[in-house]
Amino acid sequence: MKEIELLIRIKQYAFEELSADDRELVDSARRATHNAYARYSHFYVGAALRLQNGDIVIGANQENAAFPSGLCAERSAIFAAQSQQPQQAITALAISARNDRGFLQRPITPCGACRQVVLEMEDRYQRPVRLLLDGTSSVYEIKSIKDLLPLSFVDENMR
Ligand code: THU
């Protein structure tokens, strides 16, 4: 028997320590929370992704009375970007969230389904999507979604 240990590295920044580009991306995610349609959960999530050409595309969660019909902020942003500029790889994705008491103190982390969709983007363009997970206490930077989805499943696993 052999034990395999997996390690992930998270860089923890104060917002002010981020590069100007990353501050712009996190700010865009924060602003996007105001576009959320979250009348059921009252949890307002904003996502902002950077494309290879520098463009920023935002998304916000959209809820529905028939619960599964809604969509998370991250996938809203990714699918919008992919629908408009399918030739552009995604280089970074910032996520921010607030509830009725304000922005979350701890960095928001993406749900499992969104992680799988980000993984598909890494696979499609063969480059990592850097994650910026926003919280008022700090911002986590993670170099690839693979760190949040170990032993992940992509097309290659079917061969
Ligand atoms: N949500 C997101 O948009 N992104 C996440 O990473 C976590 C959850 C949304 C889905 C739903 O509208 C609300 O937050 C509560 O789960």
Side-chain angles (χ1 to χ4, degrees), residues 38 41 43 45 61-63 71-74 95 108-111 114:
S41 70
F43 189 57
V45 187
N61 55 324
Q62 305 296 324
E63 298 184 350
L71 196 62
C72 290
E74 297 90 323
I95 314 165
I108 167 92
T109 52
C111 80
C114 288

Side-chain angles (χ1 to χ4, degrees), residues 52-77:
Q52 211 169 359
N53 64 7
D55 285 0
I56 289 178
V57 178
I58 61 165
N61 55 324
Q62 305 296 324
E63 298 184 350
N64 193 281
F67 271 26
S69 304
L71 196 62
C72 290
E74 297 90 323
R75 276 175 288 162
S76 299

